[in-house]
Amino acid sequence: MLKTFRIGGVHPPENKLSANGKIIVLTLPEQVIIPLSQHIGAPATPIVQKGDTVKAGQLIAQATGFVSANIHSSVSGTIVAIDNVTDAAGLSKPAITIKVEGDEWENGIDRTEKIEHNIALSQEEIIKAIAAAGIVGMGGATFPTQVKLTPPPGNKAEFLIINGVECEPYLTSDHRIMLEKAEEIIIGVQILMKAIGVKKAIIGIENNKKDAIAHLQQIADKTPEIEICPLKVKYPQGGEKQLIQATTGRTVPSGALPIAVGAVVQNAGTALAVYEAVMKHKPLIERVVTVTGKSVKNPGNYLCRIGTPVSKLLEAAGGIPEDTAKVIGGGPMMGRTMLNIDSPVMKGTSGILLISDKEARRSPVRNCIRCSKCVSVCPMGLEPYLLAKLATFNLLERLEEEKVMDCIECGSCSFTCPSARPLLDYIRLGKTRTGAMLRNRKK
């Protein structure tokens, strides 16, 4: 019997339209816009100036503080601006704009296809190399990887879990890299195991990716310390706490981090980036992005440089269909509407979804009928109807008591609500305000 997490979960249509085509390398754009904050934590500080020439892979902004990440140029060319730009949400954020001139890479980066197996670096050297390369969580959370690999005092990792679930409908970028870069991912897993000092790793993959499961099992047979764990298809299995429970049976307590139960979780894409950083000396300057939608002419997975305008990805996929009502950054369950399609691809950009007017149209909101469906599907054991109501009235202390900060914003509640109530919208608002209250309280 396939493993899965214990409570809640839903089964939205998978719509994995782009799963079967090979990764397509996107041509370089005329310019890139590289935001200084592509990660959770403090924005990076620029170390270059307008008019400087840079190479692909060159450090252009340094991490500020412990929870931060380095930023590198993804192209070679001239810096034309260091100023605020409009991001996907329509907000003004600091960024470095580079005019592309050729494709010259920083010295020392190995761009050959040869796979390197000998992990010569020590535990400390691996963590330093990962930090230097600006690696962050590639599944969308963008938590600086070197921080995850440095557990707080008194905590010790027992096992590494690799998230190859990709449970969000439509998205297939992780699926494709597990098929096309499996050997590199396995070496990346071994590097991560050495970095945190564990002897066991589990790669969790949902059973709708049988080809990836079989391919990775064939390669991992040579490394018995790495287990490939097929999982029952159920959303949101890619959530850290849900994945830990599904693969190990352990439950992370409310308010605690995975390390509390001995787990460190990393995305499959992060494992690949770690391999490239440690074995190829390549910083995180490109990633695979799914561009998809039922009306998209050429749905697929595109390898593009960080900072590439989203509009260039849409052009490569055949342009924006006439019936498009929304462009979403991410998938339909957790993604957010993009207000600016000229905003750049960032380290955490996993997918771009175009949905039609028919798909985007919300049903009329009706009164809550107290059916408790939202409660039964919540994977965190919360009461979404109550959290939404408390958020409506801005009752922040009650929201704290009802553990709104445990919400992983998966959208299962909104998906299942027969009254079409925008539960997640209200809960996100309440969570944001409660989080601000808690931070002010600490100050």
Side-chain angles (χ1 to χ4, degrees):
M1 186 174 178
L2 294 170
K3 296 180 178 180
T4 189
F5 56 98
R6 295 193 190 103
I7 64 170
V10 293
H11 295 88
E14 294 177 18
N15 292 319
K16 303 287 189 177
L17 310 176
S18 53
N20 296 324
K22 288 190 175 182
I23 295 169
I24 301 164
V25 179
L26 196 71
T27 55
L28 292 178
E30 295 176 0
Q31 72 172 25
V32 295
I33 299 169
I34 303 182
L36 296 177
S37 183
Q38 301 184 49
H39 48 265
I40 289 175
T45 302
I47 58 171
V48 291
Q49 297 180 340
K50 182 179 177 180
D52 288 354
T53 57
V54 293
K55 297 178 181 179
Q58 180 178 330
L59 183 67
I60 57 174
Q62 285 184 325
T64 306
F66 179 61
V67 183
S68 188
N70 286 339
I71 303 288
H72 300 78
S73 175
S74 61
V75 296
S76 61
T78 302
I79 294 174
V80 296
I82 302 177
D83 203 353
N84 284 359
V85 299
T86 304
D87 70 3
L91 302 175
S92 183
K93 297 289 179 66
I96 297 173
T97 303
I98 305 172
K99 180 183 177 184
V100 178
E101 297 164 346
D103 191 23
E104 188 178 355
W105 285 57
E106 186 80 330
N107 293 336
I109 298 175
D110 181 357
R111 299 180 65 195
T112 67
E113 295 294 323
K114 181 185 176 185
I115 296 176
E116 302 291 342
H117 294 85
N118 182 31
I119 306 168
L121 299 186
S122 67
Q123 182 179 26
E124 294 76 16
E125 289 170 334
I126 288 171
I127 294 174
K128 284 181 180 178
I130 289 170
I135 308 298
V136 301
M138 302 282 280
T142 65
F143 198 84
T145 300
Q146 77 275 6
V147 179
K148 268 195 174 184
L149 302 180
T150 312
N155 292 273
K156 179 170 174 53
E158 297 177 42
F159 42 81
L160 170 70
I161 299 175
I162 298 297
N163 188 344
V165 172
E166 201 166 45
C167 59
E168 182 82 40
Y170 286 97
L171 303 188
T172 61
S173 57
D174 285 350
H175 187 177
R176 288 313 311 178
I177 65 169
M178 287 189 290
L179 287 173
E180 299 183 36
K181 297 287 183 179
E183 195 165 355
E184 293 93 326
I185 288 173
I186 293 296
I187 299 168
V189 172
Q190 292 174 305
I191 294 169
L192 288 166
M193 290 171 66
K194 187 172 182 178
I196 56 177
V198 298
K199 302 295 184 184
K200 175 72 174 177
I202 304 169
I203 303 179
I205 309 172
E206 283 195 326
N207 204 43
N208 57 0
K209 305 173 187 64
K210 289 183 169 61
D211 49 358
I213 291 170
H215 189 42
L216 282 166
Q217 278 178 334
Q218 183 181 7
I219 295 170
D221 276 347
K222 307 167 190 172
T223 51
E225 67 272 17
I226 299 176
E227 175 192 347
I228 310 301
C229 182
L231 300 170
K232 182 179 178 181
V233 178
K234 186 165 70 165
Y235 178 88
Q237 196 137 232
E240 273 194 337
K241 294 183 179 182
Q242 285 67 43
L243 182 58
I244 291 169
Q245 191 176 83
T247 54
T248 70
R250 299 188 183 187
T251 300
V252 180
S254 173
L257 296 172
I259 194 65
V261 294
V264 173
V265 182
Q266 298 287 355
N267 178 261
T270 307
L272 175 59
V274 164
Y275 164 81
E276 293 179 336
V278 174
M279 310 302 278
K280 297 287 189 175
H281 311 291
K282 176 187 171 185
L284 181 49
I285 59 172
E286 60 183 1
R287 68 157 299 146
V288 177
V289 179
T290 302
V291 184
T292 185
K294 291 179 180 177
S295 299
V296 172
K297 185 178 180 181
N298 303 311
N301 292 287
Y302 296 83
L303 178 65
C304 62
R305 304 289 175 91
I306 301 298
T308 299
V310 167
S311 55
K312 296 297 180 183
L313 280 166
L314 300 179
E315 287 175 18
I320 301 177
E322 289 184 4
D323 65 351
T324 300
K326 287 184 179 181
V327 180
I328 296 175
M333 298 296 285
M334 296 185 72
R336 302 197 184 204
T337 301
M338 301 185 71
L339 302 181
N340 176 22
I341 62 169
D342 288 318
S343 61
V345 169
M346 299 197 292
K347 294 177 181 181
T349 305
S350 56
I352 308 295
L353 171 63
L354 286 73
I355 59 175
S356 67
D357 180 66
K358 183 179 178 181
E359 294 171 291
R361 194 178 298 124
R362 292 193 178 191
S363 300
V365 177
R366 297 182 292 274
N367 290 334
C368 174
I369 60 172
R370 300 296 190 271
C371 67
S372 77
K373 284 188 176 181
C374 63
V375 178
S376 65
V377 301
C378 178
M380 295 303 297
L382 305 176
E383 297 180 274
Y385 76 92
L386 176 60
L387 296 178
K389 190 169 186 177
L390 295 174
T392 304
F393 292 100
N394 206 35
L395 299 174
L396 304 186
E397 287 81 7
R398 277 292 310 280
L399 281 167
E400 180 187 4
E401 290 174 13
E402 298 295 337
K403 296 182 169 48
V404 71
M405 300 308 292
D406 281 356
C407 173
I408 61 172
E409 303 180 29
C410 67
S412 295
C413 53
S414 295
F415 176 80
T416 198
C417 180
S419 295
R421 300 189 66 78
L423 298 171
L424 177 58
D425 295 352
Y426 285 117
I427 293 170
R428 273 178 171 162
L429 180 63
K431 186 178 174 183
T432 299
R433 290 174 175 171
T434 304
M437 177 188 74
L438 296 175
R439 289 190 294 272
N440 288 333
R441 185 185 296 165
K442 286 182 179 179
K443 291 178 183 179

